[in-house]
Amino acid sequence: QGDVPVLISEDIVISQPAKILNFLRKQKYNADYELSAKRGADTLAYIALLKEKLLPALLHTFWVEAENYSSVTKPWFASRIAFPLSLYLPGKMSREALNRILLTRGGPPLYSLAEVEAQIYRDAKECLNLLSKRLGTSQFFFGDTPTTLDAFVFGFLAPIYKVCFPRVQLQEHLKQLPNLCRFCDDILACYFRLTVSGHSPAGQDTADANLRKLTQLVNKESNLIEKMDDNLRKSPQHPPRKLTTLKLAAGGEASSPLNRLSP
Amino acid sequence: ATLCLQAFLQMCNLPVRVVCRANAEYMSPSGKLPFIHVGNQVVSELGPIVQFVKAKGHSLSDGLDEVQKAEMKAYMELVNNMLLTAELYLQWCDDVTVEEITHPRYGSPYPWPLNRILSYQKQWEIRRKMKAIGWASKTLDQVLEDVDQCCQALSQRLGTQPYFFNKQPTELDALVFGHLFTILTTQLITDALSEKVKNYSNLTAFCRRIEQQYFEGQDKDSAAAMAARSAKRSLLR
């Protein structure tokens, strides 16, 4: 149907971020169980910040910046989408991204696309600085265990950090914030089993596949964020299963739906 | 937003005079409200105005450390994202409200057919924006849920403190006050929106406290009139 991300668990196919999160919570996976009310509120606030300040620049880097789009994003997506959708979908996503940027950030006193672009990149860099200050020297945003906020931030940062674009001003800025880079590397190493050194020739395919998944997560981030809020409140609050069981369930075991995220 | 700005300026102890104009949006350099006119300078929108005031040496958030400043900015985005969008949705995308309240008010300074044309134009513009961010497909109930969630987050953050960052008011307090007070005092078709806010007693106490502290210095009458004018103006946004 052209809808990503999609979760396939045994016979069930779920295709919207909101429903995926709901499903996971019902299976007793909830990263925020131990968060206090105040931290839950902070999570919402930071997600709003990411969406407002960082998302436009991210969309721009992937979908609007001509060189990036034509040399990386479009071929990448087209190669994973079935023909003939591959001819149509990337273009549609690109147009939607530009539309969204112009409608939400365009308008006086910014009159040209170049001015809007300059403003959104300024905002994105400021947002990255704010995140870096908030993270400080902790391993995750709320102490030693990862929460939903960490997942969100990672979902935004990892594509910026890892994808090799021709035009990389955001990546260069991110690389000057070592605690955020370390944060991404930690999560990649723990949960995506990617070598921290980046491109290893033998693991190139796995690396590509993982990065594609990350990119797809980002592209539906807007839906994810909007519906996430609903679920943070509505879903039953179950204690989480131990996260270690997920790490140990190496290749093949169907016990965890997370292992079967499909592009 | 106008009320947010008034609250902010009052908190900085800067004297301010509020004037009502039908063509306010056109007077503003960016086309957006609010704007201030200081000497021979005109600055519009809350963000730039706060920067301008800071450059002149007045700031409410100097006492915060970096992490707190980050948190403040995040909460301000939450308010902008959720509350502001919900207010716009209610004014321009809820058909009943649009027909009975928004169109007449927005078009009231102009003769027919200009009033209808301008308000339809504004409505089309707002609906386009809602569609781009994915709010067009939301129902009113979902929007009210979002508002409730935002209020819950604000209520949890405020807790039992007098202001969001304990003893001193900051830009966040001004922003939250402006939005919540507008929601609480504006007459709409249903009271659903203000009921959501009233569910959180610490938020209503917060609004009352700020109103008493910063707006009661003037006449009771003029404060109420100002609030009513501001409410009307924000509805016209």
Side-chain angles (χ1 to χ4, degrees):
Chain A
Q1 296 154 348
D3 219 4
V4 285
V6 162
L7 177 69
I8 302 179
S9 169
E10 292 154 356
D11 294 330
I12 311 170
V13 179
I14 310 171
S15 73
Q16 283 191 2
K19 296 178 185 164
I20 294 177
L21 289 161
N22 224 351
F23 176 79
L24 291 174
R25 271 163 213 268
K26 286 181 182 146
Q27 303 291 317
K28 304 192 183 179
Y29 292 99
N30 181 353
D32 293 341
Y33 184 72
E34 284 165 8
L35 278 190
S36 68
K38 181 187 173 292
R39 284 179 166 183
D42 283 352
T43 303
L44 269 184
Y46 276 101
I47 289 172
L49 183 71
L50 283 173
K51 184 178 161 191
E52 202 52 39
K53 298 283 180 186
L54 194 51
L55 183 61
L58 191 58
L59 285 176
H60 186 273
T61 309
F62 270 75
W63 294 101
V64 181
E65 174 67 60
E67 257 188 78
N68 292 349
Y69 174 67
S70 55
S71 62
V72 180
T73 318
K74 190 171 170 196
W76 205 357
F77 272 75
S79 70
R80 299 293 298 178
I81 304 172
F83 184 86
L85 271 181
S86 59
L87 295 177
Y88 166 69
L89 261 188
K92 175 174 175 246
M93 290 168 90
S94 171
R95 280 191 298 277
E96 276 172 4
L98 179 60
N99 200 24
R100 184 180 173 137
I101 293 174
L102 286 178
L103 278 179
T104 53
R105 308 306 294 279
L110 305 168
Y111 287 104
S112 70
L113 186 57
E115 285 175 358
V116 176
E117 286 169 10
Q119 179 64 38
I120 60 179
Y121 277 102
R122 263 200 297 272
D123 285 341
K125 288 172 188 170
E126 193 198 324
C127 181
L128 290 175
N129 292 345
L130 288 176
L131 286 173
S132 180
K133 285 181 192 143
R134 175 64 184 77
L135 182 62
T137 49
S138 326
Q139 195 183 6
F140 297 109
F141 278 90
F142 292 119
D144 294 332
T145 44
T147 58
T148 313
L149 180 59
D150 298 287
F152 264 86
V153 174
F154 174 74
F156 276 90
L157 294 186
I160 303 175
Y161 184 39
K162 289 291 183 186
V163 178
C164 296
F165 281 123
R167 301 288 200 94
V168 285
Q169 55 168 314
L170 216 48
Q171 189 181 76
E172 279 158 16
H173 188 87
L174 180 56
K175 286 186 174 162
Q176 293 169 32
L177 299 165
N179 62 347
L180 291 181
C181 297
R182 189 252 316 144
F183 172 80
C184 289
D185 288 330
D186 280 349
I187 294 189
L188 279 170
C190 282
Y191 297 102
F192 287 89
R193 277 184 292 283
L194 203 58
T195 57
V196 171
S197 55
H199 302 294
S200 57
Q204 191 61 37
D205 281 341
T206 331
D208 272 349
N210 280 321
L211 283 172
R212 266 197 289 275
K213 283 179 207 164
L214 289 172
T215 320
Q216 283 149 5
L217 280 172
V218 162
N219 280 315
K220 282 299 176 176
E221 210 60 66
S222 50
N223 277 336
L224 184 76
I225 292 159
E226 274 145 26
K227 292 175 182 148
M228 228 348 256
D229 310 322
D230 268 350
N231 291 294
L232 273 171
R233 291 174 2 93
K234 281 191 204 144
S235 308
Q237 298 292 302
H238 296 299
R241 287 200 188 144
K242 293 272 182 224
L243 289 174
T244 46
T245 59
L246 293 178
K247 281 190 260 184
L248 292 172
E253 275 194 27
S255 62
S256 151
L258 281 173
N259 277 345
R260 297 201 49 209
L261 272 174
S262 132
Chain B
T2 322
L3 195 55
C4 306
L5 182 58
Q6 270 169 259
F8 171 70
L9 293 172
Q10 300 274 31
M11 287 170 183
C12 291
N13 275 324
L14 294 169
V16 61
R17 193 166 59 101
V18 177
V19 179
C20 242
R21 288 276 189 278
N23 61 340
E25 276 182 345
Y26 296 100
M27 284 166 75
S28 155
S30 73
K32 296 197 180 118
L33 296 179
F35 68 89
I36 57 171
H37 182 196
V38 179
N40 60 352
Q41 285 173 303
V42 182
V43 186
S44 67
E45 291 190 72
L46 196 59
I49 294 177
V50 169
Q51 302 273 49
F52 176 77
V53 167
K54 192 168 178 182
K56 299 284 179 189
H58 298 271
S59 168
L60 293 176
S61 48
D62 282 340
L64 301 179
D65 65 33
E66 293 298 336
V67 172
Q68 286 175 314
K69 279 189 190 166
E71 214 175 285
M72 184 181 85
K73 295 224 161 108
Y75 274 95
M76 286 173 81
E77 287 308 326
L78 179 65
V79 171
N80 276 329
N81 221 321
M82 291 277 210
L83 285 186
L84 181 58
T85 320
E87 283 165 26
L88 284 176
Y89 178 92
L90 206 59
Q91 286 172 35
W92 294 102
C93 300
D94 176 45
D95 293 323
V96 176
T97 316
V98 167
E99 259 321 299
E100 300 209 12
I101 298 195
T102 318
H103 271 305
R105 278 206 189 167
Y106 191 76
S108 63
Y110 311 104
W112 189 91
L114 198 55
N115 56 354
R116 297 302 275 183
I117 295 173
L118 286 177
S119 46
Y120 274 119
Q121 190 182 41
K122 179 86 181 177
Q123 181 178 11
W124 180 77
E125 193 187 303
I126 302 276
R127 285 198 179 180
R128 253 182 92 203
K129 186 173 162 178
M130 292 290 166
K131 197 166 165 214
I133 58 175
W135 277 59
S137 51
K138 287 197 183 191
T139 63
L140 185 60
D141 285 332
Q142 283 172 323
V143 172
L144 290 173
E145 266 302 305
D146 285 341
V147 170
D148 190 40
Q149 201 178 42
C150 181
C151 290
Q152 188 184 43
L154 289 172
S155 176
Q156 281 162 354
R157 179 66 185 78
L158 182 64
T160 49
Q161 299 169 135
Y163 299 108
F164 280 94
F165 288 94
N166 208 10
K167 305 233 173 39
Q168 294 298 324
T170 56
E171 286 87 349
L172 176 62
D173 299 280
L175 188 67
V176 173
F177 169 72
H179 281 287
L180 292 184
F181 195 81
T182 311
I183 292 178
L184 288 169
T185 53
T186 307
Q187 286 282 56
L188 288 175
I189 301 289
T190 70
D191 285 332
L193 197 57
S194 55
E195 286 305 313
K196 290 284 176 194
V197 178
K198 283 180 190 162
N199 278 335
Y200 300 97
S201 55
N202 63 345
L203 291 181
T204 42
F206 170 79
C207 288
R208 210 167 298 128
R209 196 182 319 121
I210 295 205
E211 189 198 353
Q212 279 168 352
Q213 200 162 356
Y214 293 99
F215 288 92
E216 223 144 82
Q218 304 147 26
D219 257 334
K220 271 270 183 204
D221 285 337
S222 75
M226 191 162 58
R229 275 205 306 265
S230 317
K232 196 172 172 190
R233 256 208 308 278
S234 357
L235 205 58
L236 293 176
R237 252 188 292 120

